[in-house]
């Protein structure tokens, strides 16, 4: 099914607007929500309708096409296709982030190619926005309900990771790396914050940069000065920081 495109036509020439409206009527899923004959009218229509696509002439009364673009906040900027009879504006148009530049007179085929590209761009944008919204909702839910799962986005996938699967965690600046068997996942979260979310009966912080799953600890090897090396079942060795010896001692005393 074709992606729906809400479009505004902005051109001071009635015949040009009529031709463009007729050409757009041949494109499935394109809805013209407003037609504007000058710059100020275009600015008001953009505020009111917040379209996906703006087909914009350059030379118009009250405000030209570039002045119209300058009035639009970046977060509200639609996809912009310039429609003009003047080729010497092309360089500036693309510097102003125009998506396409249709030189009058253009035909159905040229417009169709432009609309196809717009449709593809909108699908990518909407898919990305949907993914970000879902991740945000899932993260909020996990924080509010003390979930025993983490939601991790990696390689274009969304992975639901059970805490008990995590063998150990290491700090990496403002990120943490979660080690799960042969896999690892990078999450934008501080080690202190993720430590607060973990079950203290299951995880222990042994170093300012390391957290270990208690069930994955195979042995504790004493070192000089009463410190320990924590050896996991996988064979991974982690050092225990001097300030965390008391935590390990409680593990030893607990048996």
């Amino acid at each position: 099914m074709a992606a729906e495109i809400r479009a505004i036509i902005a051109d001071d020439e009635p015949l040009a607007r009529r031709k463009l409206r007729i050409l757009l009527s041949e494109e499935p899923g394109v809805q013209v929500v407003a037609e504007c004959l000058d710059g100020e009218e275009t600015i008001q229509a953009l505020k009111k309708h917040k379209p996906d696509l703006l087909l914009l002439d350059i030379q118009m009364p009250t405000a030209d096409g570039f002045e119209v673009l300058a009035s639009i906040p970046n977060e509200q900027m639609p996809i912009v296709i310039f429609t003009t009879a003047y080729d010497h504006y092309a360089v500036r148009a693309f510097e102003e982030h125009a998506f396409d530049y249709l030189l009058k007179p253009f035909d159905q085929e040229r417009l169709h190619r432009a609309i196809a590209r717009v449709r593809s761009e909108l699908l990518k944008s909407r898919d990305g926005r949907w993914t970000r919204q879902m991740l945000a909702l899932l993260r909020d839910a996990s924080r509010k309900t003390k979930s025993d799962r983490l939601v991790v986005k990696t390689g274009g996938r969304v992975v639901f990771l059970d805490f008990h699967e995590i063998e150990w965690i290491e700090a990496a600046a403002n990120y943490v790396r979660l080690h799960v068997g042969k896999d690892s996942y990078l999450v934008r979260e501080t080690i202190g914050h993720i430590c607060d979310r973990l079950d203290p009966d299951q995880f222990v912080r042994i170093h300012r940069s390391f957290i270990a799953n208690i069930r994955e600890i195979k042995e504790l090897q004493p070192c000089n000065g009463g410190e320990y090396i924590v050896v996991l079942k996988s064979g991974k060795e982690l050092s225990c920081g001097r300030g965390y010896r008391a935590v390990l001692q409680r593990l030893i005393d607990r048996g």
Side-chain angles (χ1 to χ4, degrees), residues 234-253:
S234 65
K236 178 66 180 179
E237 296 182 354
L238 304 173
S239 62
C240 175
R242 188 180 299 272
Y244 298 88
R245 284 184 301 176
V247 178
L248 283 184
Q249 188 61 52
R250 284 197 293 272
L251 281 180
I252 296 170
D253 295 341

Side-chain angles (χ1 to χ4, degrees), residues 6-11 31-57 60 63-82:
R6 300 172 67 255
I8 286 179
I9 296 172
D11 198 307
Q31 177 190 6
V32 177
V33 296
E35 293 185 27
C36 307
L37 54 82
D38 62 37
E40 288 299 326
E41 190 174 299
T42 304
I43 292 169
Q44 295 306 313
L46 288 165
K47 292 178 180 178
K48 178 180 178 181
H49 296 285
K50 296 180 174 57
D52 304 305
L53 172 64
L54 173 61
L55 295 132
L56 182 63
D57 191 15
M60 296 189 297
D64 66 25
F66 297 115
E67 290 171 325
V68 169
L69 292 188
S71 73
I72 309 172
N74 288 337
E75 65 274 11
Q76 297 177 17
M77 185 71 70
I79 293 176
V80 178
I81 295 178
F82 278 103

Side-chain angles (χ1 to χ4, degrees), residues 156-171:
R157 300 176 297 130
V158 178
V159 177
F160 295 86
L161 193 63
D162 290 336
F163 279 124
H164 69 79
E165 297 178 291
I166 302 170
E167 297 174 9
W168 62 287
I169 301 169
E170 65 176 322

